[in-house]
Amino acid sequence: MSTGASGGTAAGRLVLVATPIGNVRDLSPRAADVLRSADVVCCEDTRHSGRLFSRLGITTKRLLSLHGHNEAQRTEEVLRLLEDGLTVALVTDAGTPAISDPGARVVAAAHEAGAVVSIVPGPSAAVAAVAVAGLSAERWCFEGFLPRKGAERTARLAAIAAAPQAVVIYEAPGRVDALVADLASACGGDRLVAVCRELTKLHEQLWRGPLSLAAGLWPADSARGEFVLVLDAARAPAPAEVSPGELAAAVERLMASGLTRRDAVAEAAERAGIARREVYDALAQSGPAAS
Ligand code: SAM
């Protein structure tokens, strides 16, 4: 259900439906219900989705193609359907629509038009890879496909190398080795990577290790299947050692600038990358000034 400040009056409903990234049985029962009951199902490729639906025994009323090359024009058509009060489902070839796939434009337009926009969540290669990689899953970011070459690629690689969270990257099979080599030169060979291949499919593989050992494992002329990489977060450098005297002096300066003793200790601990307890210990060792 969506609410907002659009002011539009379209009475229809747009439902994004996630479809399997390999294993057809990963389509949820609610996804099947929505696909059956929708007035129109927009598909990235109607033949591909039509085959999936018939394999799962899902009969749909009407399929409409909506892909990268006609999304602008189809958006107008979908808006008319929503204005007529119809329910339009949106699927892509695999995974979650609008995630490195068409959909974002029609979703934005539906919101603007005042339609209800909702989702049947489900498979996405990015989320599946982060969960299974066993790297820094607490915070991560999604890069999708990187620019193929040039200054744009170099800049993205540099940003990725410095990212303090894990990074998810999609890549075509013939380019995985080149990506691994570029990541190794940007991040250093010690950085961990998980290379997830053919997730949920018969030949699912997960290779996990340092970038230096990943080099050459997926030669461009023979790598097959679909790949998603999870690169571990850049580790913050170990905090420099700060002496008890320096810590006490830092607390004194912070108190002189107006902080309470408690806040000054918290700030000094944060700056030194240590626990507050260690700052209190330093104060106790350094005599009465700020203690
Ligand atoms: N919308 C999709 C999603 O939610 O994951 C992504 C679509 S994007 C065009 C396709 C890319 O996703 C592939 O090139 C590959 O990098 C990744 N991908 C999709 N299925 C995958 C799978 N089963 N195993 C590994 N990667 C996969």
Side-chain angles (χ1 to χ4, degrees), residues 136 139-143 155-168 186-187 191 231-236:
S136 343
R139 293 175 64 219
W140 54 278
C141 74
F142 178 63
E143 280 287 337
R156 287 277 280 281
L157 284 162
I160 286 170
Q165 63 270 33
V167 179
V168 178
C187 311
R191 185 81 68 91
L231 179 75
D232 203 7
R235 300 275 162 226

Side-chain angles (χ1 to χ4, degrees), residues 91 160 211 243 249 263 269:
V91 300
I160 286 170
L211 282 165
S243 72
D263 289 346

Side-chain angles (χ1 to χ4, degrees), residues 176-203:
V176 172
D177 249 4
L179 174 62
V180 165
D182 285 351
L183 288 172
S185 33
C187 311
D190 291 343
R191 185 81 68 91
L192 287 178
V193 68
V195 180
C196 309
R197 181 172 165 258
E198 296 283 83
L199 290 172
T200 78
K201 301 186 195 177
L202 185 61
H203 299 294

Side-chain angles (χ1 to χ4, degrees), residues 7 34-35 43 52 124 143 175 194 200 206 234 238 252 258-259 265 270:
V34 168
L35 293 167
C43 309
L52 173 74
S124 181
E143 280 287 337
R175 300 181 50 87
T200 78
L206 195 154
E252 252 185 85
L259 291 193
V265 166
E270 168 94 30

Side-chain angles (χ1 to χ4, degrees), residues 29-177:
R30 191 162 80 87
D33 288 348
V34 168
L35 293 167
R36 272 191 200 99
S37 62
D39 298 296
V40 176
V41 180
C42 289
C43 309
E44 187 177 5
D45 177 341
T46 51
R47 279 173 306 176
H48 174 93
S49 297
R51 278 195 297 274
L52 173 74
F53 300 157
S54 61
R55 227 175 130 183
L56 291 167
I58 298 170
T59 46
T60 50
K61 295 193 185 96
R62 181 182 159 204
L63 302 184
L64 192 66
S65 80
L66 188 152
H67 47 69
H69 301 295
N70 72 357
E71 189 171 355
Q73 160 212 332
R74 278 291 194 246
T75 295
E76 296 304 314
E77 210 167 328
V78 170
L79 287 181
R80 284 196 290 278
L81 298 170
L82 296 174
E83 271 150 23
D84 288 344
L86 300 185
T87 294
V88 179
L90 172 66
V91 300
T92 53
D93 287 352
T96 301
I99 304 300
S100 282
D101 261 345
R105 180 193 285 257
V106 71
V107 167
H111 281 298
E112 293 293 321
V116 171
V117 182
S118 63
I119 184 160
V120 181
S124 181
V127 176
V130 169
V132 81
L135 297 172
S136 343
E138 231 169 71
R139 293 175 64 219
W140 54 278
C141 74
F142 178 63
E143 280 287 337
F145 292 96
L146 299 191
R148 293 206 149 198
K149 53 187 180 189
E152 236 190 300
R153 182 173 174 91
T154 310
R156 287 277 280 281
L157 284 162
I160 286 170
Q165 63 270 33
V167 179
V168 178
I169 305 171
Y170 286 166
E171 189 51 284
R175 300 181 50 87
V176 172
D177 249 4

